[in-house]
Amino acid sequence: MEHKLSEDAILAARQRLDAVDTAVTRGLADARRMGEHVTCIAISKTHDAEHIQPLLAAGQRHFGENRVAEAAAKWPALRAEYPDITLHMVGQLQSNKAAEAVALFDVIHSLDRPSLLHALAKAMDAQGRRIPCFIQLNLEGAAQKGGCAPAALGGLIAAARAANVPVAGLMCVAPLGLEPAPWFALTAKLADDHGLTGLSMGMSGDFPTAVRIGATHIRVGSALFGERQR
Ligand SMILES: *Cc1c(COP(=O)(O)O)cnc(C)c1O
């Protein structure tokens, strides 16, 4: 595979990574978060291996997908080539896909309900593997599919601890078309209230804002891959 990679594609990937990195560094400085690290997850959903390879060659190692089947089709071959990849699940997860997700991913960002927690715990027990999970918030009520309501957060965290499922922090997607800062601030406050330090928030359009408000993980798709075709 390697020999088909063009130098131009690698250079373009490096420039996109540098641009994100520069914005992150500026956001950290604005927030007086100097010396802190933000993990940039390249969201590769809909993009095939050919378009992922230049980012890998440019040094990117954290990637995210939103569908189990798509990830299963793409990532085992890429991991064989780059064993130090960390793969993140950022999409809604059905309980009947929990075992496959635990086998495939290193971090899950979409834990949002007790039934999924129990399916993940069972899969982790069976596979002898603990996967850190971010709890995805529902910030919009009925307008948003899935996500854990803020009022249900304490119960879900307690249930995760009881099931020995590591809770990495909170994850949110800011509502489309609204100023994202208040949603990020609410997510940061809820994490603080519950003693959680990880904050998975910020996408291509709003990650600098998220970093200023405390994001520890940003999920960047189109700014690294270009616009999605589907
Ligand atoms: C697609 C996706 C992203 C990345 O979106 P971009 O706007 O392309 O950066 C981030 N988080 C989740 C949950 C996604 O589904």
Side-chain angles (χ1 to χ4, degrees), residues 4-78:
K4 283 198 237 151
L5 261 183
S6 84
E7 288 302 323
D8 286 354
I10 299 172
L11 186 63
R14 193 164 286 134
Q15 284 169 344
R16 286 175 166 175
L17 286 168
D18 284 348
V20 170
D21 194 49
T22 299
V24 166
T25 302
R26 192 178 304 133
L28 286 173
D30 288 349
R32 301 284 183 273
R33 296 180 62 198
M34 270 82 80
E36 289 185 41
H37 178 72
V38 174
T39 299
C40 173
I41 304 165
I43 305 297
S44 48
K45 64 187 186 200
T46 79
H47 299 289
D48 55 22
E50 182 193 343
H51 295 103
I52 296 171
Q53 285 280 1
L55 281 168
L56 281 163
Q60 176 68 23
R61 288 296 180 271
H62 287 263
F63 290 86
E65 292 282 343
N66 70 338
R67 287 168 201 269
V68 173
E70 183 180 343
K74 284 189 326 207
W75 285 96
L78 290 165

Side-chain angles (χ1 to χ4, degrees), residues 202-220:
M203 316 190 351
S204 293
D206 55 21
F207 73 86
T209 302
V211 169
R212 282 188 198 92
I213 298 173
T216 59
H217 293 67
I218 57 174
R219 309 179 311 267
V220 182

Side-chain angles (χ1 to χ4, degrees), residues 68 89 93 97-106 108 120 127 129 131:
V68 173
M89 172 63 183
L93 189 52
K97 301 267 174 65
E100 205 181 343
V102 166
L104 198 57
F105 292 97
D106 304 295
I108 288 171
L120 289 169
Q127 297 177 33
R129 177 173 158 77
I131 311 281

